[in-house]
Amino acid sequence: MKPNKNFDKVSLFIFKIARKFLFLTIYLIILFFIGQKLFSIGYDLFYEQDMYSINNISITESFTITNDDTWDTIAFRLYSQGLISDENIFKFRANIYKVNLNQGTYEFNTKLTMKNILDIIDLGEIVNEENV
């Protein structure tokens, strides 16, 4: 029995359409997940939320910045004391906002956002000048 040429053409056409649809679907799924991840990163970077609203714990900490401190050590210490939620985002923001690293002793609490803390450091609003 001889195969029908029209049937072969129709089958090939349907196969090509199905393949294109499959690739388009995979592309859209990948694009969705990439978009979701980028949104999450942007949300973490720019959404202002203090630690008090996350933990419902109000803490005030004395924090000293010396000559030897870098943004890495400051971010680590602030994170360890529960004053910021993410060290890397804090360092990224300090770099983006071009914050001056002013030495001194500061009073920070969990009701301050990262931007508030960076503004205080940038303006040098110190509480105590000794031990610098």
Side-chain angles (χ1 to χ4, degrees):
M1 182 170 169
K2 186 176 174 185
N4 187 345
K5 284 189 174 185
N6 287 336
F7 180 75
D8 288 343
K9 287 180 183 179
V10 170
S11 297
L12 186 60
F13 177 75
I14 291 173
F15 176 74
K16 286 180 181 180
I17 295 293
R19 187 176 61 191
K20 286 180 182 180
F21 181 75
L22 178 66
F23 286 134
L24 180 62
T25 303
I26 292 170
Y27 174 75
L28 290 175
I29 290 170
I30 291 170
L31 191 63
F32 173 78
F33 284 113
I34 290 172
Q36 192 176 29
K37 185 65 175 173
L38 289 175
F39 177 82
S40 176
I41 291 168
Y43 184 84
D44 289 341
L45 284 176
F46 298 108
Y47 179 67
E48 288 288 328
Q49 190 172 18
D50 56 48
M51 290 299 289
Y52 177 77
S53 63
I54 296 171
N55 300 330
N56 275 345
I57 299 171
S58 181
I59 301 171
T60 299
E61 293 280 342
S62 182
F63 191 85
T64 302
I65 298 175
T66 65
N67 277 339
D68 299 329
D69 283 326
T70 64
W71 285 116
D72 288 332
T73 59
I74 292 169
F76 175 76
R77 288 176 31 224
L78 286 170
Y79 180 77
S80 298
Q81 291 178 349
L83 295 168
I84 61 171
S85 58
D86 191 295
E87 298 172 54
N88 293 321
I89 291 174
F90 183 82
K91 292 184 289 187
F92 177 79
R93 284 182 165 191
N95 187 28
I96 290 292
Y97 297 134
K98 308 251 186 269
V99 177
N100 294 317
L101 193 56
N102 292 308
Q103 301 152 20
T105 300
Y106 299 87
E107 291 287 325
F108 297 137
N109 64 55
T110 53
K111 293 185 179 181
L112 296 172
T113 64
M114 284 187 204
K115 178 75 169 106
N116 296 142
I117 292 172
L118 289 169
D119 287 343
I120 291 169
I121 294 172
D122 190 37
L123 296 173
E125 296 175 1
I126 57 176
V127 175
N128 188 356
E129 288 192 37
E130 55 188 65
N131 299 329
V132 178

